[in-house]
Amino acid sequence: MTQIHYSIEAPVPVDKVILHHIAMPLVEVLTTSFGGDTNQDAMRAAVLVELHMGGKIGWGECVAAWTPGYSYETITTATHVLESFFIPALVGKTKLDGLNQFRGHPMAKTAIETAFWAAVAENRGVPLGNLLTDQPRKTRAVVGVSIGIQKSIDATLGVIDKRVKEGYKRIKLKIKPGWDIEMLTAVRKAFPDILLMADANSAYSLDDVGLFKQMDKLNLLMIEQPLGHDDIYQHSKLQPQLSTPICLDESIRNTDDVRLAKETDAGRIINLKPARVGGITESLELHKFCYESGIPLWIGGMLETGIGRAANLAIASLPGVTLPSDLSATDRYYNPDITNEVFTLNKEDSTIDVVTALGLGVTMNMDRLAQFKENYEKIVAVSA
Ligand code: OSB
Ligand code: MG
């Protein structure tokens, strides 16, 4: 990862940082091409960062999973780098520069970096979003829903029907070899007009170009991350052969990757997951580049709890976020969530209200935090 230019400054130093390991029951498992259940028994794990600054607390979330499926990071690697390196580099400091001496581990970095931003917002008595830009922000973020690989095409049509009735106006379907063109064709036939897209999570190769040319006929909004998770070169060989835009997710680790993708025509849409690029600071840089270059952008999701979702929503309120984001209502992920506040879908326009309360804008439910920490301890004890 390239150096991040941290400019945010805290009015007072970081006092201390506490980590919380939690496991939360997911309302439903999101099955993807990288397979398995990266959330053991539908239990999504997370490391929450509680950062104390000037008598206020900022929260951050690490979205690394139990296993290195989507990313090489795991709950365990994140805990290690946070405890051994990132926390000691920030305690007593008013700036984030100390993080730059450490390479990689963007998800762990994001957790503490976001907690720092949230604590600064708390100290200044402003909503986090106000710290992100001087430009007018959206008050509602346009959102869609991500649907995992189902047991059958009929089951898929049923889930889409339910989501469309709930008010989601953009549907993303996970695909993998053997679960692609036939399923997508059936969906398009049943729903001729919905905003539809597919996410392959790196399951294909350039040998599959014929398949993508068939998908070109389905009027998809985009095809997300068809090729290698760390590739830009091969995507640049695929995109010019298609009329459907490729959206890069896994491949984009920072703003320079977007520059490279643009110059090589490797993808024409960017999925920005703040956790994948190392936090809010790099997200702002990447957003600025896309905005100024006219590259369509949306905010991706990692099944965040209310903590991570609130931060992602603040970023989704930026003017350069031009396509529906993977930020669904709380009840699509958790019931209950770890925060007292829930996010609901505005049915009429498929949006979620951007948080306007001070700081991160959500509050931790301490009883549930204790409960979810117990869940985590039980799972770790059983697998030890
Ligand atoms: O590829 O976008 C992805 C969740 C976990 C890992 C990877 C992905 C996803 C999603 C979830 O698609 C989107 C969401 O949080 O709603
Ligand atoms: Mg994706």
Side-chain angles (χ1 to χ4, degrees):
M1 178 168 310
T2 44
Q3 297 276 299
I4 296 180
H5 302 289
Y6 297 109
S7 57
I8 177 113
E9 200 164 346
V12 286
V14 174
D15 296 314
K16 63 172 175 177
V17 179
I18 300 163
L19 299 184
H20 302 272
H21 293 81
I22 58 164
M24 287 169 64
L26 276 163
V27 170
E28 69 187 41
V29 175
L30 183 81
T31 305
T32 60
S33 66
F34 49 79
D37 178 6
T38 54
N39 304 290
Q40 293 180 26
D41 299 324
M43 283 293 231
R44 155 81 151 74
V47 185
L48 298 179
V49 174
E50 176 185 345
L51 185 145
H52 290 245
M53 177 193 284
K56 308 267 191 205
I57 293 171
W59 288 95
E61 173 174 348
C62 177
V63 297
W66 295 99
T67 57
Y70 171 85
S71 148
Y72 65 82
E73 293 185 81
T74 68
I75 293 288
T76 314
T77 67
T79 304
H80 165 57
V81 294
L82 280 161
E83 283 178 347
S84 304
F85 310 113
F86 298 172
I87 295 173
L90 293 190
V91 171
K93 301 288 176 12
T94 55
K95 288 183 167 187
L96 288 162
D97 301 23
L99 294 178
N100 257 333
Q101 60 191 305
F102 307 116
R103 292 185 185 168
H105 303 279
M107 293 178 172
K109 237 173 228 181
T110 298
I112 194 162
E113 197 249 13
T114 307
F116 183 95
W117 276 84
V120 172
E122 288 281 350
N123 271 277
R124 296 205 186 141
V126 295
L128 172 64
N130 286 20
L131 298 181
L132 306 184
T133 180
D134 298 330
Q135 290 178 298
R137 290 187 296 119
K138 302 176 172 72
T139 53
R140 290 176 161 203
V142 181
V143 305
V145 64
S146 177
I147 297 176
I149 293 166
Q150 308 290 316
K151 291 214 164 60
S152 66
I153 290 177
D154 271 353
T156 308
L157 297 176
V159 178
I160 297 173
D161 188 56
K162 177 177 138 196
R163 296 305 184 197
V164 168
K165 285 192 174 119
E166 285 171 351
Y168 291 103
K169 293 195 185 6
R170 189 231 60 190
I171 300 291
K172 160 166 145 180
L173 296 169
K174 295 287 187 180
I175 57 169
K176 66 174 183 183
W179 180 258
D180 41 45
I181 192 68
E182 191 191 338
M183 183 274 295
L184 291 169
T185 304
V187 169
R188 184 42 101 200
K189 190 159 170 249
F191 299 90
D193 301 320
I194 55 170
L195 290 180
L196 189 65
M197 59 178 285
D199 185 0
N201 286 108
S202 304
Y204 297 88
S205 75
L206 276 177
D207 296 340
D208 299 307
V209 60
L211 181 75
F212 292 112
K213 285 187 171 166
Q214 282 177 273
M215 284 185 207
D216 244 353
K217 299 186 184 112
L218 297 176
N219 187 26
L220 300 179
L221 192 58
M222 68 192 87
I223 300 169
E224 187 177 339
Q225 198 68 35
L227 309 180
H229 68 93
D230 51 1
D231 167 77
I232 291 184
Y233 176 76
Q234 296 195 21
H235 283 94
S236 79
K237 300 293 164 202
L238 179 60
Q239 175 69 90
Q241 302 187 63
L242 304 177
S243 54
T244 308
I246 289 177
C247 169
L248 295 175
D249 172 356
E250 282 91 328
S251 295
I252 303 296
R253 301 157 304 166
N254 52 47
T255 311
D256 279 346
D257 283 340
V258 182
R259 289 191 178 93
L260 183 58
K262 177 178 186 276
E263 282 191 20
T264 58
D265 193 22
R268 297 174 186 160
I269 296 178
I270 300 296
N271 165 338
L272 167 58
K273 288 182 183 167
R276 203 193 53 229
V277 303
I280 292 178
T281 311
E282 185 64 18
S283 294
L284 293 177
E285 182 73 21
L286 190 152
H287 165 270
K288 183 167 178 270
F289 180 73
C290 288
Y291 194 37
E292 289 172 358
S293 333
I295 301 173
L297 180 72
W298 54 282
I299 307 303
M302 290 294 293
L303 308 176
E304 282 85 356
T305 74
I307 297 293
R309 190 170 318 286
N312 283 359
L313 255 180
I315 297 172
S317 72
L318 294 170
V321 177
T322 53
L323 288 166
S325 294
D326 269 352
L327 278 159
S328 308
T330 303
D331 65 7
R332 179 250 173 279
Y333 307 98
Y334 305 104
N335 184 19
D337 203 337
I338 199 159
T339 50
N340 292 307
E341 298 74 13
V342 292
F343 298 109
T344 54
L345 187 74
N346 302 312
K347 224 182 148 174
E348 65 279 14
D349 57 0
S350 192
T351 61
I352 291 182
D353 291 345
V354 172
V355 185
T356 52
L358 302 187
L360 197 55
V362 288
T363 55
M364 181 64 72
N365 183 304
M366 288 300 172
D367 292 339
R368 288 181 218 145
L369 177 63
Q371 171 67 51
F372 297 148
K373 286 174 77 159
E374 257 177 56
N375 289 348
Y376 182 90
E377 295 305 329
K378 275 186 209 148
I379 292 172
V380 172
V382 169
S383 48

